[in-house]
Amino acid sequence: MKEELFINRTLKGMGVSSGISIGRVRLIDRGKIAIPKRSITERHVEREIVRIRAAIEEAIDQLGHIRDSIPDEDVKKHAFIIDAHILILQDEFFSNSIIDVIRSELINAEWALEVVVSRFLASFDQVEDPYLKERGQDIKHIYERLARILSAEKRSPIERTAVKGKSVIIAHDLSPADTIQLNLNRISGFATDVGGRTSHTSIVARALEIPAVVGVGNVSSLVKNNDLVIIDGEEGLVIINPAEEVRKEYLAKQVHLRNLKKEHLRLARLKAETRDGFKMRVGANIELLAEMDIVEKYGASGIGLYRTEYIYLSKRNNLPTEMDHYHIYRKLAENNSMEYITIRTLDIGGDKFVSEIEMPKEINPAMGLRAIRLCIKEVPLFKAQLKGILRASVFGPLRILIPMVSGIEEVRRAKAIIKECMEELSRKHIAYNRDIKTGIMIEVPSACMMSDMLAAEVDFFSIGTNDLIQYALAIDRVNEYVSYLYEPLHPAVLKMIKKAVDDAHAAKITIALCGEMAGEPRYIPVLLGLGLDEISMNPYAIPLAKKMIRGLDHGYCRELLDEIMKKDSPAEAELLLKNEMMKLFPGDCPRVQKMIR
Ligand code: PEP
Ligand code: MG
């Protein structure tokens, strides 16, 4: 019966790593852990405390063992995720919270663990940012490991069952430890019931270029071992036991994508230069050190935006120290294939949130005490990061990027704090690059309107269209009800960008654009026409961006921009652009319309 039901059944999830995989299922089914809930008397409190402490120790040992026995060099790079889990387990706030509940509620260790984890998860649930919401999964994975240890089931099925041959892994969820223990060279695809674009499985899948679909709902309960499945990481589909014609269709699609990838890797090595000789710098946006291999492979000339929020996230309840920052930035800096590495200072608040930084409850956090505003208020927090960057700056071309600037005082104050950091390092005879470049994000309309004044203060600008569009058009970037108003070709947005570019050039500083707009190939002629020196995007989007740049003429792009800027409606501007792109790149049109992951 089950077999018949699930022939050629298509499930929709979220494609988080491109490509097509066709293979046999290897089901990772952990099953549910039963949590015994018991009230205890005062005299058993110590016994339960000893149990939870022992379980935490055991979990740390297990994870340490997993990390130390990773056989594969490629996979080893992702071991920091395991370290992050170990750090949470070692965090006294975590263990003390459980112990407090055992004592105050007089309940057993398992139950207290569940109470504390539910509290943590509830606070993650309130977060809107999908990346941060996803971090709740880390707590869940730790919870599951502890619960299994407490219930005396010490090893996860993955540790017991080695995966044979190339297979497609299907699971309800995969913890980072699960993912790392799998022999990733033998895996051709992933699909999980839960998870989002920024879950660790997704990040690892993208870094290793394994097709993956997450958030599929109930795929793990619909398949069994050895079922044939198709994972379509482009469209976010999982097809169980595909019909022969569907399988053939996907085999053809797989060949097409492989050829496309070959073409992209070829394009990645080419220069980003227009037909009339204008060289545009094309960089990558990253969030993790682990992404550096992909960045190089896909042809970035530098890192246009390193979003450092993840560093704060992976250190729950324990803010990163100057040395923590230093070690990470030094590793980045030592990669000598990058011409520039732009480290954006902490951009927390609004849609981005880190629980251990105490933030006031705000009615309107997108306009609240966030990013540079918070850093200026919490100077020690800011200085730890800045000194980490400065220390690492002797190892490579690091530059500092300040987010969410809305006026001149913020820039001057940030520069004064950077200067203080330099003086403090000099007093300790610690080397740093005295000429390190400092730039600001142009992502608040006020910054555009006074970009001439701001340009006199800094070495470079980087336009963040994700926020600029949000603030200029008064549309919440995470609100799906108004997402239809998110229009990069809105005349107000184009005029603001143009003004910032002209002011930057008048002051002889460079200007980049690192919002999502840069990664959409159809906007490349617009960005060239605007006169940007540099664009930065998701690394996979770079080859196609280079292709566009190489097929265009800078002069033509300026003329096209003039025509686009005459349009008072973004829809008309899009239509004009689309028609031009169809003429210029007829073979690439579907790709040009779509963002490449
Ligand atoms: C932006 O706002 O466009 C940007 C690049 O930064 P983030 O998306 O991290 O806010
Ligand atoms: Mg921003």
Side-chain angles (χ1 to χ4, degrees), residues 285 287 305 307 309 344 347 351-352 370 404 441-443 462-468 477 486 514-516:
N285 294 352
E287 295 184 347
L305 172 66
R307 292 183 167 103
E309 291 73 46
R344 185 177 69 185
D347 185 9
D351 58 318
K352 308 177 186 82
R370 53 173 302 192
M404 290 294 302
M441 294 279 300
I442 300 286
E443 53 184 347
S462 186
I463 301 179
T465 41
N466 305 342
D467 277 314
L468 184 60
R477 63 190 266 184
Y486 200 81
C514 62
E516 291 300 309

Side-chain angles (χ1 to χ4, degrees), residues 71-105:
D72 187 297
E73 280 308 312
D74 259 0
V75 183
K76 269 204 179 100
K77 290 179 200 143
H78 305 282
F80 69 94
I81 298 167
I82 305 279
D83 285 330
H85 282 197
I86 293 177
L87 282 172
I88 297 175
L89 284 161
Q90 284 169 338
D91 191 331
E92 293 208 340
F93 180 73
F94 181 68
S95 51
N96 286 342
S97 306
I98 303 169
I99 292 170
D100 285 350
V101 172
I102 296 177
R103 283 212 173 95
S104 60
E105 305 294 323

Side-chain angles (χ1 to χ4, degrees), residues 184-372:
L184 292 167
N185 294 325
R186 295 246 189 98
I187 289 163
S188 65
F190 283 112
T192 55
D193 295 344
V194 296
R197 198 173 151 70
T198 49
S199 63
H200 293 302
T201 310
S202 307
I203 291 170
V204 171
R206 275 198 299 279
L208 299 178
E209 299 181 87
I210 298 172
V213 180
V214 301
V216 199
N218 57 348
V219 60
S220 71
S221 56
L222 299 181
V223 294
K224 47 188 178 32
N225 277 321
N226 271 329
D227 273 349
L228 187 72
V229 285
I230 295 175
I231 304 284
D232 181 345
E234 308 290 305
E235 303 297 331
L237 300 178
V238 178
I239 306 170
I240 307 172
N241 294 322
E244 190 48 23
E245 66 274 15
V246 175
R247 199 178 70 88
K248 282 194 184 138
E249 186 192 311
Y250 269 91
L251 277 172
K253 196 169 169 188
Q254 200 175 33
V255 171
H256 171 71
L257 284 178
R258 280 195 190 130
N259 290 338
L260 210 60
K261 184 173 165 190
K262 270 191 213 144
E263 191 211 331
H264 280 186
L265 292 177
R266 184 187 60 78
L267 286 166
R269 289 192 293 277
L270 302 177
K271 282 197 190 121
E273 186 172 337
T274 61
R275 294 194 325 201
D276 49 351
F278 174 76
K279 292 188 185 69
M280 191 178 219
R281 297 211 293 192
V282 181
N285 294 352
I286 59 163
E287 295 184 347
L288 298 169
L289 265 176
E291 289 170 284
M292 284 306 278
D293 289 350
I294 291 292
V295 163
E296 271 183 67
K297 194 165 157 190
Y298 282 82
S301 59
I303 302 295
L305 172 66
Y306 174 33
R307 292 183 167 103
T308 57
E309 291 73 46
Y310 186 83
I311 301 173
Y312 295 78
L313 263 156
S314 50
K315 293 210 140 253
R316 284 197 83 244
N317 302 315
N318 221 346
L319 288 169
T321 62
E322 178 180 328
M323 293 314 278
D324 290 330
H325 283 291
Y326 162 70
H327 288 302
I328 296 169
Y329 305 146
R330 180 176 167 169
K331 276 198 197 122
L332 267 182
E334 281 175 341
N335 175 312
N336 44 29
S337 60
M338 296 291 119
E339 287 168 29
Y340 52 94
I341 297 166
T342 317
I343 302 187
R344 185 177 69 185
T345 58
L346 181 61
D347 185 9
I348 222 71
D351 58 318
K352 308 177 186 82
F353 155 91
V354 168
S355 57
E356 69 272 26
I357 298 179
E358 231 173 86
M359 311 268 291
K361 266 243 168 289
E362 296 174 314
I363 292 174
N364 205 344
M367 297 189 189
L369 182 64
R370 53 173 302 192
I372 188 59

